Structures are given as C-alpha cells and as structure tokens.
Amino acid sequence: MKNLAQLLREHPFFHGMDEEHLEFIARCGQNCIFNRGEYIARENAPADQFYVIRDGKVAVESYVPNHGSLCLQTLHSGDIFGWSWLFPPYLWTFDGRALDEVHAVRLDGKCLRDKCDEDPKLGYALMKRFARIVTDRLHTTRVQLMDVYNQQRPPLDSGQ
Amino acid sequence: MTPEVFRVEQRREEFPGTFTLRIRGERAKNGSPAEFQPGQFNMLYAFGAGEIAISLSGSPRDRDGYVHTIRTHGFVSQALERLQAGDLLGVRGPFGCGWPLSAAKGKEVLIIAGGLGLAPLRPLIYNLLGDTQSVRNIRLFYGARRPDEMLYRDELAQWAGSMEIVQSVDHGDADWAGHIGVITGPLAGAELDPQNTVAFLCGPEVMMRFCIQTLTAKAVPESAIYLSMERNMKCATGHCGHCQWGPNFVCKDGPVFNFAGVQSWFNIRAL
C-alpha cells in the first residue's frame, strides 16, 4: 500500500515539488472517502482543509433559494478542491458534494498556513500551484460566461 | 450548379431550434445521390427563401439519401425548419474538402465537438467506427450548453461501447452525470501520446481556439490538428468570394483545414 507522500507525488498538483516539502505536506494529510451525496464542504463553514481528489467526482455547488443546489463545476481525479483555507476569513465559499464515491487526501490547511509563514520557499511553491488553479478556474468561468454554444449570437462588431 | 430536387423523407427535432432532415433525391429514385466525404457540405435551397450551406451529417455509406442537421438561425433555415416529410427542397453538392481520413491511420484520434459541431463530425465517427483497425483508439470530447442541447443522444450512448466519450455542459441539471464546466478541462486532463495523436475539431470558433491552445500545450503538433471552419458560403465553388478567408475560400479549400496551414489567418480578428 502506498503511503501519503507517494500518493501525493503521483498527483499532478505536486509534480516537481521538493521532496522535503512533499514529506512535510504528507504529514499534514490523511486519506478519506466520501460516499455519494455526502457533503465535503458547506458554504460559510470553516475552511481549514483542502482535498486532493484521487478518484471520483465532486460537484462545486451553490444553494439558490426556491431552486435548490446549482452545480457550477465538477471536479475529478487529478483536481484539487478548496482554496478558501488560504485566505481570511477561511470560510468555504461554495458547497462541495460527492457525486459518486470519492477518494481523496485531506490536507490540513491550518497546519500548512503556519508552515508556509515559516518557510517562504514552501509557501511560494504552494502558492504558485494554487494561483495556477485559480487562473484555470477563472478561465473556465469566463468561457462559460461567454456562452459560446448560444444559438442566438449578438451582432458582430469589427473585432478591433 | 443547378440544384437537384430532393424530398424530405424524415424530419426529427433534436431540440427546440435544431432539427435533422433526411432527404432523398427525386430523380435518383433508381440510383444514388453523389457520394460524399465526411466533412463536406451541401447547399440546401428552400424554394422561395434561398440557399444555405449545411454540413452532411449522415453516414457516407448510406447511399439512399443525405442527412443534414440544421440550426434555425436566419430566413432560409427558418424556411427549412417548416419543411415536413414529403416536402421538396433543392440540393447542390457535395462541396468542399472533408476530414483527411488518411491522417488518422495508426493514430490516437481525438474528436472534439462543440454544440452543433458534432454534426459534421458524425460522418467521420461512422467511418472510423466502421474501420477501428486502422486507428489506435478514438476519443470523443463533446461540449454543449445544456444536457438537452446535445445532439444524437441515443447514438452517443451506443458509441460509448466502442470509444471513450467525455461529455461536458456549461450548465448541468440534477440528472446530468457528465462534466460541468468547459470541454478544455477534461481535454487538458486527458493522457495522450502527442506525437501519435490527430485531432479533429468542429464547434464555435472561440471554443476551437481554446481547444487548440490546450492541445498545443500538451505538445500535439499543429500539423496534427484539423478544424472545420464556418463562413458565409454562397456559390460553394470558390467564385463569389463571400467566404474568402485569407488566401483560402472556405467553400472550396475547406471547410476542413489543417491548423498548421491556416494558423496565421486563424488569429487575425477581422477575418
């Protein structure tokens, strides 16, 4: 059976990370399994963890009154769920719900925050990776907002 | 150049505003209509309204007629939408250069479709599934706005037994089991052998642009990427100039182009 450091090493998020840092991060983690329908995170609840998704599918949702939960995006094996642990007030901004059996590594964000303050090299390595995720998600959101498959396009401008 | 008269044999509503016509030639009752290559198009003439270019979306092996999936957008497509089984329309074609099947030989094939872009790719899928020995594997990445705006849902379920299909929608619903997000997400996460991959793309141009960025970031060579372009086609023979795109006429030199050959034009905004 693989230990946590090995599992993290194989995950794309941690590719290229120093071995020493990886070992430390692994010590802040634990394996976890969520059953289908189980909430991994609830909006406005304290966000002191993030999840490395190893297998399964997670819906990032927001509850809309009189409508129900609206799924904004699905995350899959190879994705990371959660960056709210990085920024005050350290509260989840969306719900996270398992759409099938999800195998993940839960990482203690609070422990990592403290370590990142002490070790800026680790902080920078982690922040670079999270910045990439944030920009990728922003890009995805922008493309969704462009509604490229819409049948009725507004008139074209000159494109200048 | 003169349209032949065809009769609508079957009309199927894919979802509101998008429909599929199966048509059969009136004169060719004892023969077959002209053969076509996947990726080619016909000019469909709605009598009294006008003519528009529509991709062929049926099987090239089906020699009884043509199949076209049409989105209602303008005056002519609205006239075509009103056609019912038994009604007549004019057809010129097939025209244009289709998907280069030879480029797929021995390769991992990525078929990347967005919205109605699956229609011109369907004949290619039929051909590839009919000769799976010639390719290493086939994967379809299909993005759409909503689950109920996906084309050929019954066939997608059938094809899933023969190839990997990744479906993604911008907005899901409670019954949707696929991805929610944009198709570049699962494409970026796909494991592939870039030097032995060929990609065929069709969809909104902006979606193709982002998919090409994702593919090239994964080291897929530009020369291994083919895309189907859409421009205002009128004569379909490269004479009128309506669909001129840089030095190319989309109707005659395309609609399928190799990305390496059109890369410089693809990034010019005014074209």
Side-chain angles (χ1 to χ4, degrees):
Chain A
M1 197 171 143
K2 291 176 182 172
N3 63 31
L4 273 186
Q6 283 171 309
L7 290 176
L8 296 182
R9 200 174 292 120
E10 288 169 8
H11 196 279
F13 180 78
F14 294 102
H15 282 173
M17 187 158 245
D18 282 358
E19 201 54 36
E20 180 197 342
H21 289 150
L22 206 59
E23 291 288 341
F24 178 83
I25 293 167
R27 286 200 292 276
C28 295
Q30 64 179 119
N31 267 313
C32 54
I33 297 174
F34 295 93
N35 296 317
R36 184 181 173 175
E38 199 176 339
Y39 279 92
I40 299 166
R42 298 305 291 251
E43 188 177 327
N44 286 325
D48 287 328
Q49 311 90 24
F50 69 99
Y51 295 88
V52 175
I53 304 172
R54 294 175 48 215
D55 199 17
K57 195 157 62 171
V58 176
V60 180
E61 297 179 335
S62 188
Y63 185 78
V64 181
N66 300 319
H67 176 83
S69 288
L70 187 70
C71 180
L72 307 164
Q73 188 179 28
T74 51
L75 302 175
H76 306 261
S77 168
D79 285 329
I80 295 287
F81 173 62
W83 60 63
S84 301
W85 64 277
L86 267 171
F87 312 104
Y90 310 119
L91 300 174
W92 290 104
T93 45
F94 294 106
D95 292 338
R97 188 168 58 89
L99 291 174
D100 47 21
E101 189 173 277
V102 171
H103 293 244
V105 176
R106 179 193 290 120
L107 288 158
D108 183 341
K110 202 162 178 295
C111 155
L112 281 175
R113 276 200 308 261
D114 295 340
K115 180 69 179 173
C116 286
D117 286 340
E118 289 168 22
D119 181 351
K121 204 174 157 205
L122 168 65
Y124 180 62
L126 264 182
M127 200 59 81
K128 262 200 309 190
R129 285 165 172 77
F130 272 96
R132 183 60 196 257
I133 292 176
V134 174
T135 53
D136 283 350
R137 303 263 168 95
L138 177 63
H139 182 266
T140 296
T141 306
R142 283 174 168 167
V143 176
Q144 279 175 293
L145 283 172
M146 284 166 74
D147 198 12
V148 293
Y149 306 121
N150 188 0
Q151 297 183 51
Q152 304 303 326
R153 309 298 306 164
L156 295 173
D157 67 13
S158 64
Q160 301 299 308
Chain B
M1 287 297 283
T2 309
E4 276 192 46
V5 177
F6 275 61
R7 191 177 290 278
V8 176
E9 201 169 66
Q10 193 182 45
R11 182 190 187 282
R12 174 195 156 106
E13 180 102 345
E14 298 290 343
F15 50 86
T18 300
F19 58 99
T20 297
L21 297 180
R22 182 181 171 76
I23 57 175
R24 184 192 276 261
E26 281 289 274
R27 272 201 323 178
K29 267 183 184 151
N30 299 318
S32 298
E35 284 186 39
F36 72 94
Q37 296 299 312
Q40 286 191 300
F41 66 94
N42 275 336
M43 297 299 293
L44 301 188
Y45 181 24
F47 298 125
E51 204 181 38
I52 48 171
I54 302 287
S55 298
L56 286 136
S57 55
S59 169
R61 295 191 177 123
D62 174 2
R63 305 291 298 117
D64 287 338
Y66 296 132
V67 176
H68 291 280
T69 297
I70 305 162
R71 171 177 288 175
T72 312
H73 189 67
F75 188 61
V76 180
S77 56
Q78 282 171 18
L80 291 170
E81 189 185 27
R82 290 191 289 272
L83 295 178
Q84 297 296 328
D87 290 344
L88 299 175
L89 73 160
V91 175
R92 288 193 297 129
F95 293 114
C97 298
W99 304 106
L101 288 161
S102 57
K105 278 218 165 67
K107 302 276 187 180
E108 291 186 10
V109 179
L110 300 181
I111 297 172
I112 304 166
L116 203 64
L118 184 59
L121 286 163
R122 187 166 69 162
L124 172 75
I125 294 170
Y126 287 142
N127 267 23
L128 292 173
L129 289 180
D131 184 19
T132 48
Q133 301 294 315
S134 69
V135 296
R136 252 203 234 178
N137 63 38
I138 313 167
R139 274 183 282 183
L140 170 64
F141 291 82
Y142 181 29
R145 201 176 182 214
R146 297 179 187 283
D148 57 6
E149 292 184 18
M150 299 198 103
L151 291 177
Y152 318 136
R153 275 169 277 173
D154 296 343
E155 278 186 300
L156 285 169
Q158 280 175 24
W159 293 340
S162 313
M163 62 177 167
E164 186 189 339
I165 301 183
V166 180
Q167 298 176 64
S168 179
V169 293
D170 286 349
H171 311 283
D173 57 29
D175 299 326
W176 177 246
H179 287 71
I180 296 176
V182 291
I183 198 65
T184 46
L187 187 61
E191 278 183 25
L192 49 90
D193 174 4
Q195 296 310 313
N196 285 299
T197 292
V198 62
F200 299 110
L201 286 85
C202 187
E205 212 165 304
V206 64
M207 166 253 172
M208 292 200 289
R209 199 167 76 222
F210 290 130
C211 287
I212 289 169
Q213 285 170 10
T214 304
L215 290 170
T216 51
K218 290 176 86 71
V220 175
E222 278 105 358
S223 59
I225 300 172
Y226 294 86
L227 65 162
S228 181
M229 292 297 293
E230 194 178 346
R231 285 293 183 274
N232 183 19
M233 294 188 263
K234 290 288 183 193
C235 72
T237 53
H239 286 94
C240 73
H242 278 86
C243 66
Q244 185 164 4
W245 185 45
N248 301 301
F249 293 100
V250 174
C251 68
K252 184 168 69 76
D253 305 311
V256 174
F257 292 95
N258 181 274
F259 181 62
V262 295
Q263 194 173 1
S264 50
W265 310 106
F266 195 72
N267 294 323
I268 297 177
R269 293 181 176 203
L271 285 184

